[in-house]
């Protein structure tokens, strides 16, 4: 078998429900595009026969992996897992194909949050089917059909079971804490989000899976699934980048460098570099926009989608006429360096 183009291998520890189905998996040190020799050694130790698979591990198989790994970090992890009573798994992805299991889905989400891949760079087909809905609690992941028994058990023991959400995706920070970021409120960033160095996500900010900020960025608004915000851009309080998962939006957006989407503003079109949208103005793809020249004279009226991806645009709603205008942006923003230093 050819191991030279292997996509990823990772050993993980997770939670299963009482029917032995995976609820979630944590991978402390995934190998992305692993060294062929390492991939071969680990795969052969498990009798791997090809394809994308997740293989449940036993004490004996963990030990046989530890015997063959050449990677120091893998050895450390395997030694720690050797004594665990928790469900353990090795996930082997020969290629970046559609997702077929819960451990595969979690591995691909880790690869994004660990910055091995950027949003839209990997195949996430089938991810919703592969991820079970989970009740997230201070005692870990619980299957929704088992939550009442666990709540009762906790109460009878005089303890509390705190539920923090019911969702297919967990909080990123409970799995990956990227270097050089600030995230004010962990529930606002899902596992699978990509946060580059110098990204700040304030309480109002939200970053979905397969979406992110290249960094440095200030995020006080929503970054929807598939959206990438380039360096130096600022998403003002409660601003929005239009998503494509629900509600009929079709264009996958990106925001270029040094843009400002004002507070309570939003965009339904991709923006190039140095664009500003006035606070409170939501540009949709069909918004009629008057394009003005430097002397604020009308050049043409277009639908906003015709301006998609262009740079140096300032969008305002003229407060006298109500018309949405696009002027040349002469004052692009610069992030406050002190505010964005994360040391
Ligand atoms: C759109 C925006 C960027 C304009 O700010 P600016 O570039 O500093 O522009 P100014 O306020 O100096 O205005 C420049 C000119 O445009 C005019 N103008 C600005 N906004 C206008 C509007 N909505 N309607 C009509 N004219 C407007 C001004 O009157 C001024 O005209 P003048 O040159 O004839 O005097 C600003 O209003 C804005 O919305 N910023 C967003 C801030 C924000 O939300 N940050 C995030 C915080 S969480």
């Amino acid at each position: 078998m050819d191991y030279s183009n292997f996509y990823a291998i990772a050993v993980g520890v997770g939670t299963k429900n009482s029917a032995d189905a995976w609820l979630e998996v944590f991978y402390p040190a995934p190998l992305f595009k692993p060294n062929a020799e390492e991939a071969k050694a680990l795969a052969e130790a498990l009798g791997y026969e090809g394809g994308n698979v997740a293989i449940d591990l036993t004490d004996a198989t963990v030990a046989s992996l530890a015997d063959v790994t050449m990677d120091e970090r893998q050895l450390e992890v395997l030694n720690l897992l050797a004594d665990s009573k928790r469900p353990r798994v090795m996930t082997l992805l020969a290629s970046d194909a559609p997702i077929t299991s819960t451990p595969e889905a979690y591995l691909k989400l880790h690869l994004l949050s660990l910055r091995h891949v950027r949003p839209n760079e990997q195949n996430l087909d089938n991810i919703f089917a592969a991820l079970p809905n989970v009740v997230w609690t201070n005692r870990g992941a619980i299957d929704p059909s088992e939550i009442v028994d666990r709540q009762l058990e906790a109460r009878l023991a005089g303890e509390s079971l705190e539920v923090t959400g019911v969702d297919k995706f967990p909080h990123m920070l409970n799995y990956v804490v990227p270097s050089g970021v600030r995230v004010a409120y962990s529930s606002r960033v899902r596992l699978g989000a990509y946060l580059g160095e110098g990204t700040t996500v304030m309480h109002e900010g939200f970053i979905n899976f397969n979406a992110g900020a290249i960094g440095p960025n200030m995020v006080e608004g929503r970054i929807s699934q598939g959206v990438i915000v380039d360096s130096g851009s600022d998403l003002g309080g409660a601003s929005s980048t239009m998503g494509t998962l629900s509600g009929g939006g079709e264009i996958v957006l990106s925001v270029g460098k040094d843009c400002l989407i004002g507070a309570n503003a939003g965009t339904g079109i991709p923006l190039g570099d140095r664009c500003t949208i006035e606070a409170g103005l939501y540009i949709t793809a069909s918004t009629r926009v008057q394009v003005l020249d430097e002397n604020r004279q009308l050049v043409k009226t277009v639908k906003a989608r015709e301006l998609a991806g262009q740079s140096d645009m300032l969008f305002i709603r003229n407060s006298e006429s109500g018309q949405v205008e696009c002027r040349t942006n002469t004052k692009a923003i610069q992030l406050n360096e002190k505010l964005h230093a994360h040391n």
Side-chain angles (χ1 to χ4, degrees):
M1 207 175 308
D2 178 18
Y3 288 95
S4 56
N5 284 317
F6 220 79
Y7 188 66
I9 298 189
V11 60
V13 55
T15 311
K16 288 183 164 188
N17 65 12
S18 57
D20 204 35
W22 286 104
L23 292 178
E24 57 85 44
V25 183
F26 169 65
Y27 295 101
L31 296 172
F32 178 61
K33 305 216 164 146
N35 163 296
E37 257 185 276
E38 174 75 5
K40 185 171 188 288
L42 293 173
E44 288 183 351
L46 292 182
Y48 167 76
E49 289 175 344
N52 289 356
V53 291
I55 300 173
D56 286 12
L57 298 177
T58 60
D59 287 351
T61 48
V62 171
S64 57
L65 290 168
D67 281 346
V68 298
T69 184
M70 289 157 262
D71 183 292
E72 256 177 59
R73 180 71 185 131
Q74 288 307 303
L75 184 57
E76 275 172 19
V77 170
L78 287 161
N79 284 339
L80 290 169
L81 293 189
D83 297 329
S84 172
K85 297 280 167 280
R86 307 291 307 162
R88 294 152 296 174
V89 66
M90 174 153 266
T91 302
L92 300 104
L93 303 184
S95 66
D96 181 22
I99 296 168
T100 60
S101 69
T102 307
E104 272 183 48
Y106 271 82
L107 177 51
K108 287 193 163 179
L109 294 173
H110 277 72
L111 294 179
L112 277 154
S113 294
L114 288 166
R115 303 179 181 144
H116 289 304
V117 292
R118 286 188 173 187
N120 306 321
E121 280 182 3
Q122 70 181 350
N123 189 336
L124 296 178
D125 288 355
N126 214 28
I127 192 161
F128 288 109
L131 288 174
N133 207 15
V134 168
V135 184
W136 301 101
T137 78
N138 61 333
R139 293 170 168 221
I142 299 177
D143 190 299
S145 68
E146 295 168 10
I147 185 68
V148 177
D149 287 350
R150 296 287 297 274
Q151 284 170 320
L152 181 58
E153 191 185 293
R155 276 177 188 263
L156 294 177
E159 290 163 1
S160 68
L161 182 71
E162 181 74 20
V163 174
T164 53
V166 183
D167 192 10
K168 284 178 177 265
F169 294 81
H171 302 172
M172 177 192 75
L173 293 178
N174 291 342
Y175 292 74
V176 177
V177 180
S179 57
V181 306
R182 282 200 282 148
V183 176
Y185 197 18
S186 69
S187 67
R188 307 290 295 175
V189 180
R190 276 172 142 186
L191 181 63
Y194 179 104
L195 277 68
E197 288 273 343
T199 300
T200 299
V201 186
M202 294 307 289
H203 302 73
E204 261 320 270
F206 169 79
I207 308 187
N208 210 337
F209 75 98
N210 192 41
I214 299 307
N217 293 98
M218 173 52 104
V219 183
E220 298 189 81
R222 301 178 51 84
I223 304 186
S224 300
Q225 195 278 135
V227 175
I228 305 176
V229 177
D230 211 338
S231 54
S233 288
D234 184 332
L235 267 53
S239 67
S240 154
T241 51
M242 202 182 276
T244 47
L245 290 180
S246 63
E250 280 164 14
I251 313 174
V252 176
L253 299 191
S254 55
V255 174
K257 294 184 170 54
D258 303 324
C259 292
L260 168 64
I261 304 187
N264 286 326
T267 183
I269 60 164
L271 300 174
D273 298 335
R274 300 172 302 280
C275 291
T276 298
I277 302 181
E278 181 194 21
L281 169 59
Y282 209 121
I283 302 285
T284 67
S286 303
T287 302
R288 301 292 206 276
V289 180
Q290 289 191 341
V291 179
L292 306 185
D293 66 15
E294 282 77 44
N295 303 315
R296 297 204 200 143
Q297 296 303 305
L298 179 65
V299 179
K300 56 184 175 178
T301 301
V302 296
K303 288 187 185 168
R305 64 166 61 84
E306 291 173 46
L307 302 172
Q310 291 191 32
S311 296
D312 300 298
M313 298 185 291
L314 164 65
F315 290 97
I316 62 163
R317 183 176 293 273
N318 188 306
S319 52
E320 287 176 328
S321 67
Q323 263 290 334
V324 177
E325 295 176 352
C326 175
R327 306 180 186 176
T328 302
N329 196 9
T330 52
K331 293 193 250 175
I333 59 140
Q334 279 202 322
L335 292 180
N336 178 336
E337 271 178 38
K338 286 203 183 108
L339 196 66
H340 291 269
H342 289 162
N343 40 30

